[in-house]
């Protein structure tokens, strides 16, 4: 008997064609995929070490041709947590769930070991999920969602094409005004926000990747672009976050004069400290900074009992 991480171990029932018990193989102890296995049982969600008997068989997931099982335990520590490659120069291709798990983990700056510990799974199994086209069970997804502070639906990609705000509202929400320090703390998470400005063609609102440095909100753009028109005038900048699963979120609005950052040292600091390149791509090396003179924010969530 040989297995890969993510395969199912099935214990057959004495009744013909029946299944007495099944579980997901979450740990291997031999590089060739032979028993024993660490199995997370579907009926109890508990992980046990299993030496399969004659009434057991493996239900295989689809694995790339030539793939070899990833080691677990001490062997994995020596070999690292990356599953074996499918060819001499080709890395395994992750599935959509694995990409979302990895992207959310990296966005939060978490290591695999940290997330695996929170989700009660081996780091090498998390590596397998992130790097292979795996289809983890509901229990595994629920633990991963909890470890990452997100939802199973989000990890599965449900609702990605829907506009935000269509989730279920709370029965008794509370809308709370945020203080200036809270607003600054939320702004400092960086990411994507919206700059509102007046152009020759009228008002405009444009999404931009932004950074916060020295209490200023800075974003890269191109000369002659719509965001560049904010220079020399008062602009508004808004950033928000909405958790539809929990029915809560927040928004922060900053208003102040916008200027073109031309000092070479300041430009270098902004470029070196940038967390990401502009999503819009292209040559966007013009930095614009908004110095907030007014900060307001609101948070909505469950009302205290």
């Amino acid at each position: 008997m040989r297995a890969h991480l993510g395969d199912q171990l099935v214990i057959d029932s004495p009744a013909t064609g029946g299944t007495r018990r099944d579980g997901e193989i979450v740990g291997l102890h031999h590089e060739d995929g032979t028993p024993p296995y660490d199995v997370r049982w579907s009926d109890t969600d508990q992980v046990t070490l299993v030496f399969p008997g004659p009434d057991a068989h493996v239900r295989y997931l689809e694995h790339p041709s030539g793939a070899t099982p990833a080691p677990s335990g001490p062997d994995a520590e020596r070999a690292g947590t990356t599953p074996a490659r499918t060819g001499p120069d080709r890395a395994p291709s992750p599935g959509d769930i694995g990409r979302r798990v990895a992207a959310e983990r990296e966005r939060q700056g978490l290591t695999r070991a940290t997330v695996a510990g929170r989700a009660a799974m081996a780091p090498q199994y998390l590596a397998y999920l992130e790097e292979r086209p795996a289809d983890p069970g509901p229990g595994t997804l629920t633990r991963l969602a909890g470890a990452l502070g997100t939802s199973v639906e989000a990890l599965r990609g449900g609702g990605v094409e829907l506009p935000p705000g269509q989730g279920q509202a709370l029965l008794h929400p509370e809308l709370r005004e945020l203080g200036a320090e809270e607003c600054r703390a939320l702004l400092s998470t960086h990411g994507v926000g919206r700059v509102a400005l007046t152009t020759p063609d009228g008002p405009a609102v444009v999404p931009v990747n932004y950074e916060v440095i020295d209490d200023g909100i800075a974003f890269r753009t191109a000369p002659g672009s719509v965001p560049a028109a904010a220079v020399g005038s008062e602009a508004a900048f808004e950033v928000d976050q909405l958790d539809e699963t929990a029915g809560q979120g927040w928004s922060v609005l900053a208003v102040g004069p916008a200027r073109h950052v031309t000092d070479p040292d300041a430009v270098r600091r902004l470029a070196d400290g940038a967390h990401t390149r502009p999503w819009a791509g292209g040559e966007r090396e013009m930095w614009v900074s908004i110095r907030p003179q007014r900060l307001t924010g609101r948070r909505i969530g469950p009302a205290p009992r």
Side-chain angles (χ1 to χ4, degrees):
M1 179 182 291
R2 296 176 185 271
H4 296 78
L5 288 172
D7 289 338
Q8 277 193 319
L9 182 69
V10 179
I11 309 298
D12 295 324
S13 170
T16 303
T19 298
R20 184 166 60 192
R21 204 177 189 195
D22 63 80
E24 189 174 17
I25 296 175
V26 298
L28 303 175
H29 291 263
H30 297 128
E31 292 187 11
D32 61 357
T34 54
Y37 306 128
D38 293 327
V39 178
R40 189 183 299 279
W41 298 107
S42 61
D43 54 352
T44 64
D45 205 33
Q46 299 297 311
V47 177
T48 60
L49 179 65
V50 180
F51 292 82
D55 58 346
H57 70 273
V58 175
R59 184 180 298 156
Y60 298 97
L61 295 177
E62 291 186 7
H63 297 286
S65 176
T68 56
S72 177
D75 290 334
E77 295 299 323
R78 291 192 294 270
T81 58
T82 303
R85 293 179 180 271
T86 59
D89 299 307
R90 292 183 300 168
S93 175
D96 289 342
I97 290 177
R99 289 190 184 95
R100 294 188 190 100
V101 170
E104 182 61 23
R105 177 179 60 77
E106 292 169 0
R107 186 188 70 80
Q108 297 184 35
L110 300 173
T111 65
R112 278 179 177 164
T114 297
V115 174
R118 293 178 181 177
M121 63 178 59
Q124 60 266 27
Y125 182 54
L126 178 58
Y128 170 83
L129 293 178
E130 289 186 356
E131 298 178 8
R132 300 278 187 177
D135 185 19
T140 299
L141 279 177
T142 299
R143 284 187 300 278
L144 279 173
L148 293 168
T150 185
S151 66
V152 171
E153 182 184 20
L155 293 182
R156 287 191 178 278
V160 293
E161 296 182 355
L162 296 176
Q166 294 190 359
Q168 184 68 36
L170 295 173
L171 291 177
H172 304 288
E174 178 190 58
L175 187 62
R176 181 172 64 88
E177 300 290 332
L178 300 177
E181 290 304 314
E182 287 180 287
C183 290
R184 292 189 184 93
L186 292 171
L187 276 172
S188 66
T189 57
H190 67 83
V192 175
R194 286 162 288 278
V195 58
L197 63 151
T198 301
T199 72
D201 296 324
V205 179
V206 185
V208 293
N209 295 89
Y210 76 96
E211 304 290 334
V212 175
I213 185 169
D214 295 338
D215 291 330
I217 300 166
F219 58 89
R220 271 182 290 199
T221 188
S225 65
V226 173
V231 172
S233 64
E234 187 174 61
F237 182 86
E238 192 269 344
V239 63
D240 56 41
Q241 187 177 88
L242 181 64
D243 183 345
E244 298 203 38
T245 302
Q248 57 189 18
W250 54 264
S251 66
V252 172
L253 177 68
V255 178
R259 66 181 182 87
H260 181 194
V261 182
T262 57
D263 179 71
D265 291 336
V267 170
R268 189 179 305 108
R269 288 178 61 201
L270 287 168
D272 292 344
H275 291 81
T276 182
R277 296 283 300 174
W279 280 22
E283 295 297 324
R284 300 176 184 275
E285 300 305 323
M286 174 184 177
W287 282 94
V288 177
S289 176
I290 299 174
R291 183 70 62 175
Q293 295 182 339
R294 178 163 57 91
L295 274 175
T296 57
R298 290 182 173 185
R299 183 187 294 276
I300 190 169
R305 296 184 178 181

